[in-house]
Amino acid sequence: MKRVLNFIDGQFRPPGSGRYIPDVEPATGQVIAEIADSEPEDVDAAVAAASRAFASWRKTPAEERSRLLLRVGGLIEENFDELARLESDDNGKPVSLARRMDIPRAILNFRFFATAILHAETSAHATDDRALNYTLRQPLGVAGLISPWNLPLYLLSWKIAPAIAAGNCCVAKPSELTPLTADRLAGLIAEAGIPPGVVNIVHGTGASAGRALTSHPNVPLISFTGGTKTGADVMTHAGPLFKKVSLELGGKNPNVVFADADLEQAVATSIPSSFSNQGEICLCGSRLFVERPIYDEFLDRFLAGTKKLAIGDPREASTEVGALVSEAHRRKVEGYVALAKEEGGEILLGGKRPADLPERVRGGYFLEPTVIAGLDGGTRCMQEEIFGPVVTVTPFDSPEEAIALANSTRYGLSASVWTRDLQKAHRVAAAIDSGTVWVNTWLLRDLRVPFGGMKESGVGREGGFDSLAFFTEAKNVCVKL
Ligand code: NAD
């Protein structure tokens, strides 16, 4: 059985506790590895290694840091097939999706921040002819990086790359449900020649290893991506220590389709925006609002397209919907489907475990893509993040109503708006409370743009120079002339 060890000071080390957590392949329900169940002492050792490494890494020229990060990107590319397969086995996602999205994005994350630091600028402020102020941007020290299971390598690299590019060292805590690509990345980081201690990876549960990081006195910065409830716990522990904190949290994203939209495009994109990665993408549109004149036609086409999605063994290139990440998570999602019925909803499609799965994956945590109509906006199924292959559909009659519906949750991560009317698009985009609004598209990402959530979807922005600003401290130097 493969044992996933911690990566501390450039070496793979067993956890002090000697305990391991089983790592289950969601598509089969089989244990495929054991993960270090780390305790605060392991986090202490990782933080100490990172602190030691920081003394020289912070002085390493940007050009050299850039070269090393580019090398990591290159090594991920060289190991593309293996990483895509590991990600799919560990998470349940179709390998085709890992190949199209997760691994290319991990490569890009390293390349993007490797080159961004070569173009970073700081500002200067002349105070008439009396003084010159200039801003230094300096790394903070040890960055604590906590990531979720839905896009394991994609989101882990989205944190590690800017953290170390900016001159910090880091201790990363990947999700205990999906540790395999993080473990492989540790090996590639060593192979690339990143000095020992610059990147440390500690595996284990959030309650033990995660919390040890958020409450560690020598970790001045936390970048966290995960659920909103966990985000509150991160704040509770990091707040009293005045850590710099970035929180990328949950969503309940609206997808608003106006009657004048390009219907074909809107349907073709709403299917993946609802069900891609089994709906386990924080940016998935889980509340679909369709203007009444096209509601029936949209729904017919949307249901017909969704029915055609191929559910099956994630390892098969043709599979479009894989397994949910765990049995517990599937039960949670099924609980919402049952609740939807109690709340007056009608299950138009799905809601069941698929029959006729291939032999290899009969024990996996599959659930059919599910479409629910007839729910009131205030119901729990329309308010709470389900994070599975479940979408609600609701008609609306005016832009004002669509905006009110879109804004009617505590979340504000992303939204999509579909219309051919440019003025309406700008007006509605400006009125929706969310960190990102896509117009006539979904998940089109430019890594330079600010990314993050409003309301309970998060605090702060990452992406491009926002990431480099987060991972550095601004210092003003005022020189009297
Ligand atoms: P989670 O909050 O359960 O776990 C996220 C990470 O935090 C894991 O590594 C976990 O071990 C760790 N953790 C758990 N408890 C902790 C604690 N008390 N202290 C410190 N660390 C702790 O989230 P999840 O179930 O892994 O991921 C799904 C959630 O992530 C969804 O809500 C989804 O919307 C959100 N998400 C948000 C974004 C975004 O960019 N906003 C991206 C992806 C996922």
Side-chain angles (χ1 to χ4, degrees):
M1 178 72 63
K2 157 91 184 155
R3 276 202 160 165
V4 175
L5 304 180
N6 292 329
F7 181 69
I8 297 175
D9 217 1
Q11 288 176 339
F12 289 97
R13 295 195 202 162
S17 69
R19 285 195 316 271
Y20 293 84
I21 310 166
D23 180 26
V24 174
E25 179 182 1
T28 62
Q30 301 297 312
V31 176
I32 51 172
E34 293 183 323
I35 321 157
D37 185 2
S38 304
E39 295 193 326
E41 292 69 35
D42 301 298
V43 172
D44 282 344
V47 173
S51 302
R52 284 193 301 273
F54 182 58
S56 57
W57 184 248
R58 69 181 308 177
K59 293 192 192 130
T60 304
E63 262 179 43
E64 173 66 0
R65 281 183 269 136
S66 174
R67 191 187 68 76
L68 290 168
L69 265 82
L70 287 172
R71 179 94 184 99
V72 177
L75 285 169
I76 297 174
E77 194 165 46
E78 281 173 31
N79 293 275
F80 191 98
D81 292 343
E82 181 198 354
L83 286 162
R85 171 72 171 263
L86 281 177
E87 202 72 300
S88 166
D89 282 359
D90 215 12
N91 168 275
K93 69 178 69 212
V95 72
S96 58
L97 184 66
R99 297 182 70 86
R100 200 169 63 245
M101 182 173 75
D102 297 75
I103 310 307
R105 176 57 190 277
I107 297 167
L108 188 58
N109 286 340
F110 278 99
R111 291 187 171 154
F112 178 83
F113 287 108
T115 47
I117 52 170
L118 303 179
H119 301 271
E121 293 175 355
T122 60
S123 48
H125 300 82
T127 311
D128 308 317
D129 55 1
R130 290 177 292 139
L132 176 65
N133 296 272
Y134 60 89
T135 308
L136 292 177
R137 297 221 68 108
Q138 298 174 319
L140 282 86
V142 182
L145 312 175
I146 303 177
S147 51
W149 48 259
N150 64 326
L151 304 169
L153 191 63
Y154 175 131
L155 288 173
L156 182 70
S157 53
W158 180 239
K159 296 181 186 303
I160 290 180
I164 66 171
N168 302 282
C169 294
C170 68
V171 178
K173 211 297 283 170
S175 169
E176 60 274 34
L177 295 179
T178 51
L180 295 184
T181 47
D183 178 54
R184 195 65 192 90
L185 179 67
L188 299 179
I189 279 172
E191 193 180 334
I194 303 252
V198 172
V199 176
N200 305 273
I201 298 183
V202 176
H203 296 278
T205 64
S208 178
R211 206 174 272 168
L213 207 47
T214 59
S215 52
H216 202 292
N218 298 334
V219 176
L221 174 151
I222 296 285
S223 171
F224 171 83
T225 301
T228 293
K229 243 176 103 180
T230 319
D233 190 75
V234 170
M235 275 299 219
T236 303
H237 289 86
L241 296 169
F242 305 104
K243 293 177 192 245
K244 216 174 168 186
V245 176
S246 162
L247 301 174
E248 303 283 357
L249 309 177
K252 189 74 177 172
N253 309 312
N255 180 5
V256 180
V257 185
F258 285 99
D260 60 6
D262 179 331
L263 194 58
E264 204 177 312
Q265 278 294 315
V267 171
T269 306
S270 294
I271 295 169
S273 78
S274 305
F275 302 117
S276 217
N277 207 41
Q278 302 71 244
E280 297 166 332
I281 301 180
C282 54
L283 304 167
C284 274
S286 53
R287 293 179 300 145
L288 189 40
F289 299 111
V290 186
E291 203 166 9
R292 205 174 298 273
I294 59 157
Y295 182 76
D296 289 339
E297 191 184 350
F298 180 94
L299 205 53
D300 284 350
R301 293 200 199 187
F302 181 73
L303 292 173
T306 302
K307 262 184 216 158
K308 286 193 199 136
L309 290 174
I311 310 180
D313 190 339
R315 286 186 179 179
E316 292 296 326
S318 57
T319 295
E320 292 166 294
V321 179
L324 272 67
V325 74
S326 69
E327 176 68 73
H329 189 55
R330 178 169 65 172
R331 262 190 265 115
K332 176 188 149 183
V333 177
E334 287 176 329
Y336 275 106
V337 176
L339 178 66
K341 291 181 204 159
E342 286 168 32
E343 291 184 326
E346 185 190 353
I347 313 296
L348 301 180
L349 192 70
K352 301 186 300 294
R353 300 180 178 191
D356 299 331
L357 286 166
E359 179 77 34
R360 192 184 89 84
V361 297
R362 291 232 169 106
Y365 314 132
F366 294 84
L367 188 67
E368 290 173 351
T370 303
V371 182
I372 306 173
L375 284 172
D376 186 78
T379 55
R380 281 184 56 202
C381 288
M382 294 275 293
Q383 289 291 319
E384 297 174 14
E385 185 184 45
I386 299 174
F387 214 54
V390 177
V391 69
T392 60
V393 285
T394 311
F396 67 86
D397 291 299
S398 67
E400 290 66 34
E401 190 191 357
I403 292 165
L405 285 165
N407 288 342
S408 68
T409 74
R410 345 179 246 126
Y411 294 106
L413 188 56
S414 72
S416 289
V417 176
W418 293 86
T419 176
R420 285 192 173 101
D421 178 339
L422 199 57
Q423 297 213 351
K424 185 160 63 186
H426 287 300
R427 197 156 52 82
V428 174
I432 291 181
D433 299 331
S434 72
T436 297
V437 180
W438 280 292
V439 176
N440 297 330
T441 185
W442 174 70
L443 207 54
L444 201 166
R445 291 279 289 118
D446 181 324
L447 300 193
R448 294 170 300 176
V449 307
F451 179 86
M454 293 185 183
K455 304 196 281 188
E456 293 189 19
S457 287
V459 176
R461 293 292 178 272
E462 294 188 13
F465 292 126
D466 283 301
S467 287
L468 294 182
F470 173 68
F471 284 108
T472 52
E473 197 84 272
K475 178 191 289 176
N476 184 62
V477 179
C478 176
V479 182
K480 185 173 180 295
L481 298 178

